[in-house]
């Protein structure tokens, strides 16, 4: 792998900010050196949510959003570079996942769409960018997601301990890291996405800090059981999903059968939905010695407590406990994936995505003069 410093950029389904990290990467290490978080303007967030929930828009509106997101990602990278006093020559490449606005991995023409014009990032930072990570895997018959299990395996696998890594962003995904076995992984379903959507509609708050509101409510078992009947939860891997499926409209359809529920009871039930759907998949996968949690959900004490309660005999901890920032995990993963692409190395795992083979991922957007990244 080409050694050097890489920047990773991630704007996930939670839409709570653009996470940017700087990491030194070579064949033997991924050492995080700095991080930076950049806010997402409310109008951009609303426009993204509108697309993800199927609201119509013109090609002009779509093109403007693509450009605005590219500029936003560039501003976020520049914020980190200014903070760390970096010059373009100090960075081999930027790995930018882009903002997923639609993910449809099944059907006659599977596709996944991430926007945020990478040309804007190159033009504004002077650094080579790697983007469009998912579609090569899909062209080879894969789901295009999740891609982070390969990174989890590189950093967090253990020679003797049966580990799983749980990333709880808007969507929750599991990585199975068992000694001597192929890596597996898939999206379990909603993580924070429905929780955030509900409290935003009910209280105008972006998220339920420390699960304070959910802790005042009770789990409504009939509602929980109805939501658990969704066929996604029983579908076999490989599988992946997103906001175009688990959105506020999905929740409204289930709530229609239970009028008059207290808001806090719905919030508590949504925490239980995330915990149950994860724990069921952990147990179906044979259980593990340690479940390492990252993403925003790792800071939800009620979710963490419920996972521990539903998984007796499993140590539920955060990736921070083993030295990897849970807040920066996904951005780090795309810095690492950029390094893989620049080095001509595969970034997907066929055992995870269902692709016919492993392959180099992404498209390279070179800085002027090609620099020496290629």
């Amino acid at each position: 792998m080409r050694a050097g410093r890489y920047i990773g950029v991630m704007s996930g389904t939670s839409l709570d900010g653009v996470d940017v990290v700087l990491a030194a990467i070579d064949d033997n290490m991924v050492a995080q050196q700095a991080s930076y978080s950049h806010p997402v303007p409310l109008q951009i967030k609303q426009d993204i949510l509108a697309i993800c929930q199927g609201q119509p828009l013109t090609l002009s509106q779509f093109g403007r959003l693509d450009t605005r997101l590219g500029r936003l990602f560039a501003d976020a990278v520049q914020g980190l570079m200014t903070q760390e006093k970096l010059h373009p020559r100090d960075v081999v490449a930027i790995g930018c996942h882009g903002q997923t606005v639609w993910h449809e991995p099944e059907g006659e023409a599977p596709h996944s769409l991430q926007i945020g014009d990478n040309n804007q990032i190159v033009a504004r930072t002077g650094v080579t960018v790697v983007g469009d990570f998912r579609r090569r895997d899909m062209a080879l018959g894969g789901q295009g997601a999740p891609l982070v299990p390969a990174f989890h395996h590189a950093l967090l696998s253990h020679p003797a301990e049966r580990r799983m890594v749980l990333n709880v962003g808007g969507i929750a995904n599991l990585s199975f890291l068992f000694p001597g076995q192929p890596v597996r992984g898939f999206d379990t379903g909603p993580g924070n996405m429905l929780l955030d959507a509900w409290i935003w509609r009910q209280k105008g708050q972006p998220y339920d800090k420390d699960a304070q509101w959910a802790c005042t409510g009770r789990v409504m078992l009939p509602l929980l059981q109805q939501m658990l009947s969704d066929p996604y939860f029983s579908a076999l891997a490989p599988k992946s999903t997103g906001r175009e499926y688990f959105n506020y409209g999905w929740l409204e359809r289930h709530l229609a059968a239970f009028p008059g529920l207290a808001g806090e009871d719905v919030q508590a039930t949504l925490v239980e939905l995330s915990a149950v759907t994860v724990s069921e998949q952990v147990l179906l996968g044979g259980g593990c010695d340690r479940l390492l949690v990252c993403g925003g959900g790792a800071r939800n004490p009620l979710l963490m407590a419920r996972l521990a309660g539903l998984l007796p005999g499993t140590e539920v901890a955060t990736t921070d406990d083993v030295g990897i920032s849970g807040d920066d995990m996904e951005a780090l993963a795309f810095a690492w994936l950029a390094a893989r692409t620049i080095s001509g190395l595969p970034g997907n795992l066929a055992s995870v995505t269902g692709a016919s083979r492993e392959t180099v991922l992404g498209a390279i957007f070179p800085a002027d003069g090609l620099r020496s990244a290629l």
Side-chain angles (χ1 to χ4, degrees):
M1 187 182 294
R2 177 171 175 183
R5 301 168 94 183
Y6 292 81
I7 288 174
V9 184
M10 185 66 191
S11 172
T13 49
S14 293
L15 294 172
D16 51 1
V18 181
D19 296 324
V20 189
V21 299
L22 175 69
I25 299 175
D26 63 22
D27 287 330
N28 301 309
M29 72 166 186
V30 177
Q32 182 175 341
Q33 297 181 329
S35 63
Y36 176 78
S37 184
H38 195 80
V40 177
L42 180 60
Q43 185 60 57
I44 289 181
K45 181 173 181 177
Q46 291 174 337
D47 290 346
I48 292 167
L49 289 173
I51 296 176
C52 293
Q53 298 188 61
Q55 295 183 23
L57 77 166
T58 66
L59 289 175
S60 174
Q61 291 170 322
F62 185 85
R64 290 199 302 270
L65 181 58
D66 184 42
T67 297
R68 286 158 56 208
L69 275 167
R71 292 172 178 171
L72 176 68
F73 296 151
D75 290 344
V77 171
Q78 287 178 314
L80 175 73
M81 294 179 70
T82 298
Q83 172 186 290
E84 299 302 312
K85 300 181 174 58
L86 294 172
H87 297 282
R89 64 177 179 272
D90 298 326
V91 182
V92 177
I94 298 164
C96 183
H97 173 266
Q99 180 62 54
T100 299
V101 293
W102 199 262
H103 183 69
E104 191 172 325
E106 307 287 351
E108 180 185 355
H111 55 279
S112 186
L113 184 59
Q114 289 74 42
I115 64 173
D117 184 6
N118 289 303
N119 296 286
Q120 293 284 339
I121 306 174
V122 176
R124 289 167 176 255
T125 65
V127 180
T128 293
V129 175
V130 184
D132 193 14
F133 285 96
R134 299 195 180 276
R135 293 194 291 179
R136 177 72 66 84
D137 180 87
M138 298 187 83
L140 292 170
Q143 294 266 318
L147 296 179
V148 290
F151 179 65
H152 292 159
H153 179 255
L155 257 68
L156 294 168
S157 60
H158 190 277
E161 188 173 77
R162 289 169 57 89
R163 289 182 172 181
M164 294 187 191
V165 180
L166 170 64
N167 177 64
V168 187
I171 293 294
N173 55 69
L174 269 176
S175 301
F176 295 65
L177 311 179
F178 295 168
Q181 297 183 26
V183 179
R184 294 184 294 129
F186 51 86
D187 292 343
T188 61
N192 301 319
M193 184 175 291
L194 298 178
L195 290 163
D196 294 348
W198 181 246
I199 196 170
W200 176 258
R201 294 293 185 104
Q202 297 297 305
K203 288 178 162 291
Q205 297 174 15
Y207 67 101
D208 186 9
K209 182 175 174 57
D210 297 327
Q212 291 176 0
W213 193 37
C215 285
T216 66
R218 297 177 300 147
V219 173
M220 298 288 101
L221 284 177
L223 173 61
L224 177 64
Q225 289 165 352
Q226 179 170 302
M227 292 191 293
L228 288 170
S229 69
D230 188 286
Y232 181 82
F233 299 125
S234 58
L236 299 177
K239 61 179 182 176
S240 56
T241 189
R243 190 183 293 278
E244 66 289 326
Y245 190 98
F246 288 108
N247 52 40
Y248 189 76
W250 183 91
L251 176 58
E252 278 188 317
R253 290 192 294 275
H254 287 287
L255 288 175
F258 302 95
L261 289 181
E264 61 271 22
D265 291 344
V266 175
Q267 191 77 356
T269 306
L270 291 173
V271 173
E272 191 71 4
L273 175 69
S274 296
V276 168
T277 50
V278 168
S279 60
E280 284 183 345
Q281 293 302 319
V282 170
L283 295 173
L284 284 171
C288 61
D289 301 320
R290 190 186 303 196
L291 179 68
L292 295 169
V293 188
C294 56
R299 297 193 301 275
N300 183 321
L302 179 57
L303 176 61
M304 293 292 283
R306 290 302 299 135
L307 288 170
L310 291 165
L311 296 169
T314 296
E315 180 186 350
V316 178
T318 67
T319 58
D320 296 77
D321 296 334
V322 292
I324 307 295
S325 168
D327 290 336
D328 298 324
M329 179 70 77
E330 286 197 296
L332 273 172
F334 283 93
W336 181 80
L337 285 166
R340 302 282 295 181
T341 300
I342 290 293
S343 305
L345 298 171
N348 66 330
L349 290 174
S351 61
V352 171
T353 67
S356 59
R357 60 180 171 86
E358 296 181 359
T359 185
V360 177
L361 299 178
I364 299 173
F365 298 76
D368 290 343
L370 298 182
R371 299 183 63 244
S372 55
L374 306 183

